[in-house]
Amino acid sequence: MALAAAAPAHAAGCSLAPQGEGRVAAVIDARTFRLQDGREVRLAGIEPAASGKAGQTSALAAIIAGRDVTLHGEDDTPDRYGRQPAFVYLAGADIPVQSVLLAQGEALVSADVTGKECAASLFAAEAEARGAKRGTWADPAAIKNAESPGDILAGIGRFTVVEGKVLSVRQAGATTYLNFGRNWTRDFAVTISRRVLPAIEAGGIGLKSLENRRIRVRGWVEARQGPRIEVLRVGQIEMLGGN
């Protein structure tokens, strides 16, 4: 596979410190693989487009199986499962594997990348796939409608993208709610804790300004009365045109 054909040049706008290299010995799941020296590596910044699909592991394997790769990142500390999070490049390539999977529609941006250039390059690759209706984006239901809480609840425990109009912004105790419906026990809402507010505001989002605006939000679906997504990072919220 030619990486230049699989992902656009803008995906190269992400410069991170090198964290080592190695040859891929096995692909474990849709975003995790093992190197020949035994290290397990998790692709940073993305989530599988849909859980449990064998084709996603195949998509990653088609790119990296048996290949030499270099690892880059802000911190090479393993996660609690012993996996090293990293941006991964085939030897000699300047486009991360993450951007290739995103451009194919095989992954979603997880919004946990702190570097603006890296985050922007990932979102651009995802937007390209969405516009071309590749991979998961070929399904009209890939983005959930905030006005259909039942559809969102069907994805409890999954990383999900939801779009809709914010009807109200309310604070209750230490939590701010972005309400997409008028029935708080049934309708979809986004929750934001007080400790996260400074980061959200520093990212240029004034929560009260979101009232009556259409946004796209991504995160893990929880059931707290109605379906909820907790926003922990500014990148989880995207403003949409047509507001």
Side-chain angles (χ1 to χ4, degrees), residues 31 38 40 58-59 65 75 96 107 114 132-133 147 151 169 178 191 197 202 207 209 219 231 236-237:
R31 62 169 185 167
E40 289 191 3
S58 299
D75 184 357
T114 56
K133 294 181 170 55
E147 296 179 7
D151 290 345
V169 179
L178 308 184
T191 63
L197 289 180
L207 294 184
S209 71
V231 165
Q236 289 178 253
I237 298 175

Side-chain angles (χ1 to χ4, degrees), residues 4-154:
H10 57 59
C14 179
S15 179
L16 294 168
Q19 293 181 342
E21 57 188 32
R23 175 160 291 187
V24 176
V27 173
I28 298 171
D29 60 32
R31 62 169 185 167
T32 311
F33 60 92
R34 183 181 300 108
L35 297 174
Q36 286 185 342
D37 63 10
R39 281 179 294 168
E40 289 191 3
V41 179
R42 178 179 60 83
L43 297 176
I46 64 171
E47 293 288 341
S51 60
K53 289 190 176 180
Q56 293 173 327
T57 301
S58 299
L60 179 58
I63 299 169
I64 67 171
R67 305 289 296 275
D68 292 324
V69 297
T70 59
L71 312 179
H72 295 257
E74 298 175 339
D75 184 357
D76 61 359
T77 302
D79 64 15
R80 59 179 176 172
Y81 302 107
R83 306 169 301 186
Q84 178 180 341
F87 275 73
V88 178
Y89 297 76
L90 294 184
D94 62 357
I95 296 169
V97 170
Q98 283 92 326
S99 290
V100 179
L101 290 170
L102 288 166
Q104 292 175 348
E106 297 290 349
L108 305 173
V109 179
S110 64
D112 59 358
V113 175
T114 56
K116 289 184 178 180
E117 289 185 354
C118 293
S121 70
L122 296 181
F123 274 109
E126 181 190 274
E128 178 186 298
R130 188 166 59 246
K133 294 181 170 55
R134 296 191 198 116
T136 192
W137 305 112
D139 181 357
I143 297 179
K144 303 303 180 185
N145 187 336
E147 296 179 7
S148 301
D151 290 345
I152 301 171
L153 275 174

Side-chain angles (χ1 to χ4, degrees), residues 117-190:
E117 289 185 354
C118 293
S121 70
L122 296 181
F123 274 109
E126 181 190 274
E128 178 186 298
R130 188 166 59 246
K133 294 181 170 55
R134 296 191 198 116
T136 192
W137 305 112
D139 181 357
I143 297 179
K144 303 303 180 185
N145 187 336
E147 296 179 7
S148 301
D151 290 345
I152 301 171
L153 275 174
I156 288 177
R158 296 179 188 169
F159 192 86
T160 302
V161 180
V162 180
E163 287 184 6
K165 182 178 181 179
V166 179
L167 296 186
S168 66
V169 179
R170 298 285 185 267
Q171 184 172 343
T175 302
T176 299
Y177 293 84
L178 308 184
N179 297 307
F180 291 78
R182 303 196 184 282
N183 187 330
W184 66 272
T185 64
R186 182 192 66 198
D187 292 327
F188 174 66
V190 167

